[in-house]
């Protein structure tokens, strides 16, 4: 997980596999109770596993994620398929907003859904499935932050492929 502060908002991107990010934030004197929202980059549990702890500790935290985050995700990278799905326990949380398209959060921060497959995707994706099919990563979001004349892109895993994400963020 990463804490991001822009001139218009404070946000948390991902929660990691557990609730340790809360202890880390406290150690860094970051008050997660003051964030404007949390963003979940995609539905794998190493990015979503701490969501229950976030929402138990800070129950009114607004969370944004793809509408496809609650698929059944599996990884066979270590030989046997193992479940790496997001915790279903937060699926109906009242402050969870599931989005279908890219969306501006503030005048300088946009959540971006990758809308191109023009470039290749990482070879490691071959081990990942969503609902028993090859994962298309329709559940993946990136952040694009406008900083003056610069564009800062945050794509925690880049399963959609860095060039595809960059193209989508530049539109």
């Amino acid at each position: 997980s990463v804490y991001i502060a822009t001139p218009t908002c404070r946000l948390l991107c991902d929660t990691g596999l557990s609730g340790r990010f809360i202890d880390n934030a406290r150690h860094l004197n970051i008050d997660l109770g003051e964030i404007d929202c949390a963003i979940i980059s995609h539905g794998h549990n190493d990015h979503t596993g701490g969501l229950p702890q976030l929402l138990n500790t800070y129950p009114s935290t607004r969370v944004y994620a793809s509408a496809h985050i609650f698929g059944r995700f599996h990884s066979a990278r270590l030989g046997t398929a193992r479940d790496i799905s997001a915790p279903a326990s937060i699926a109906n949380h009242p402050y969870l907003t599931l989005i279908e398209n890219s969306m501006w959060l503030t005048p300088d921060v946009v959540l971006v859904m990758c809308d191109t497959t023009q470039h290749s995707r990482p070879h490691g994706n071959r081990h990942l499935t969503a609902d028993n099919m090859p994962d298309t990563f329709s559940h993946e979001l990136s952040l694009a932050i406008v900083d003056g004349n610069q564009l800062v892109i945050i794509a925690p895993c880049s399963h959609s492929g860095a060039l595809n994400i960059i193209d989508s963020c530049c539109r």
Side-chain angles (χ1 to χ4, degrees):
S1 61
V2 64
Y3 172 79
I4 301 164
T6 76
T8 61
C9 74
R10 294 172 307 253
L11 59 95
L12 179 70
C13 181
D14 290 336
T15 61
L17 187 59
S18 71
R20 291 198 60 198
F21 71 96
I22 294 173
D23 295 332
N24 292 340
R26 287 181 184 140
H27 180 72
L28 295 168
N29 294 316
I30 296 170
D31 183 355
L32 294 177
E34 294 183 3
I35 63 172
D36 296 297
C37 64
I39 307 303
I40 301 303
S41 66
H42 64 291
H44 295 165
N45 65 354
D46 57 334
H47 295 260
T48 62
L51 268 173
Q53 291 89 336
L54 175 69
L55 295 172
N56 285 336
T57 306
Y58 305 101
S60 62
T61 300
R62 169 102 16 231
V63 177
Y64 293 92
S66 165
H68 306 285
I69 196 172
F70 294 110
R72 298 311 310 162
F73 302 111
H74 290 86
S75 172
R77 192 186 67 178
L78 301 176
T80 306
R82 62 186 170 82
D83 190 336
I84 57 169
S85 302
S89 62
I90 57 99
N92 295 314
H93 194 278
Y95 290 99
L96 175 64
T97 300
L98 301 176
I99 65 171
E100 292 275 359
N101 299 297
S102 296
M103 175 183 141
W104 286 91
L105 289 176
T106 69
D108 63 347
V109 178
V110 63
L111 295 176
V112 179
M113 299 197 82
C114 188
D115 60 1
T116 184
T117 56
Q118 179 179 349
H119 307 284
S120 63
R121 292 181 172 186
H123 190 60
N125 287 351
R126 73 186 185 284
H127 300 292
L128 301 170
T129 61
D131 300 321
N132 298 317
M133 301 292 291
D135 199 335
T136 64
F137 296 97
S138 62
H139 57 102
E140 186 174 43
L141 295 173
S142 299
L143 282 167
I145 302 169
V146 179
D147 184 13
N149 291 330
Q150 298 178 348
L151 181 65
V152 177
I153 298 172
I154 298 173
C157 269
S158 299
H159 286 293
S160 294
L163 294 177
N164 292 319
I165 291 168
I166 291 168
D167 284 353
S168 296
C169 289
C170 289
R171 292 185 188 167

